[in-house]
């Protein structure tokens, strides 16, 4: 299956630096062994193909259930239907970790709202910080 079968474009890809970092973290460094650019590009193409395949199948499952949003359970079912049941546990664990990370980010983002300060007071404090930083910058090195 290719992107074209799903109405996609050839522009689908993953960041090369990210893939290289993942590969270097997973593979044990061995003297004289290198991961070539061609191998990295092939791995990226395989990953995009895999993601496209799972997404397409999960979308089909969601549509059959008359859902408009693909949920975790649709990915779970798609992996099983496509013959990848060994990935389900790890995918669900990663989904849980991601959900937990989002919760902690929401708490940090909500910190300003919980400060109890008015928008005007927050703006005043921000302006004061800007003035202080500008003054320090204009003084030059100490």
């Amino acid at each position: 299956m290719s992107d074209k079968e799903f109405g996609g474009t050839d522009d689908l890809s993953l960041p090369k630096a990210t893939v290289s970092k993942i590969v270097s973290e997973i593979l044990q460094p061995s003297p004289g062994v290198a991961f070539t650019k061609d191998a990295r590009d092939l791995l990226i193409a395989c990953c995009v193909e895999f993601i496209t395949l799972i997404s397409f199948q999960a979308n089909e499952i969601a549509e059959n259930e008359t859902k408009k949003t693909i949920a975790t359970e649709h990915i779970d079912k798609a992996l099983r239907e496509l013959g990848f049941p060994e990935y389900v546990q790890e995918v669900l664990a990663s989904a849980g970790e991601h959900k937990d990370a989002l919760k902690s980010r929401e708490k940090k983002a909500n910190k300003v709202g919980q400060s109890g300060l008015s928008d005007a007071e927050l703006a005043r404090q921000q302006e004061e910080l800007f003035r202080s930083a500008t003054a320090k910058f204009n003084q030059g090195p100490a």
Side-chain angles (χ1 to χ4, degrees):
M1 298 187 148
S2 70
D3 302 337
K4 293 174 185 150
E5 291 178 61
F6 300 113
T9 67
D10 290 332
D11 295 340
L12 296 175
S13 189
L14 295 171
K16 291 178 181 181
T18 302
V19 172
S20 294
K21 182 179 178 189
I22 291 169
V23 168
S24 66
E25 287 176 3
I26 291 173
L27 299 178
Q28 295 298 324
S30 302
V33 177
F35 197 74
T36 67
K37 289 180 182 178
D38 287 344
R40 181 201 58 209
D41 292 344
L42 177 60
L43 180 62
I44 289 171
C46 291
C47 290
V48 169
E49 192 71 24
F50 183 73
I51 292 167
T52 303
L53 176 68
I54 300 300
S55 300
F56 180 79
Q57 187 67 23
N59 185 55
E60 291 287 313
I61 293 166
E63 284 180 356
N64 289 340
E65 295 177 4
T66 63
K67 304 285 183 185
K68 292 186 177 188
T69 303
I70 296 173
T72 306
E73 56 268 15
H74 300 130
I75 301 293
D76 178 335
K77 206 172 199 181
L79 287 166
R80 292 178 194 281
E81 286 183 8
L82 292 168
F84 301 106
E86 65 275 12
Y87 292 116
V88 172
Q89 187 175 357
E90 186 66 30
V91 166
L92 294 178
S94 292
E97 290 170 13
H98 178 69
K99 202 172 193 178
D100 292 343
L102 286 177
K103 285 180 187 175
S104 71
R105 267 194 232 148
E106 288 172 6
K107 288 179 184 174
K108 288 178 185 175
N110 202 13
K111 215 175 196 178
V112 171
Q114 294 175 347
S115 71
L117 299 173
S118 68
D119 287 344
E121 179 59 20
L122 289 169
R124 187 198 64 72
Q125 287 181 1
Q126 183 180 35
E127 285 300 319
E128 180 57 37
L129 288 170
F130 285 149
R131 275 193 291 279
S132 173
T134 301
K136 284 182 183 178
F137 177 77
N138 289 334
Q139 285 178 346

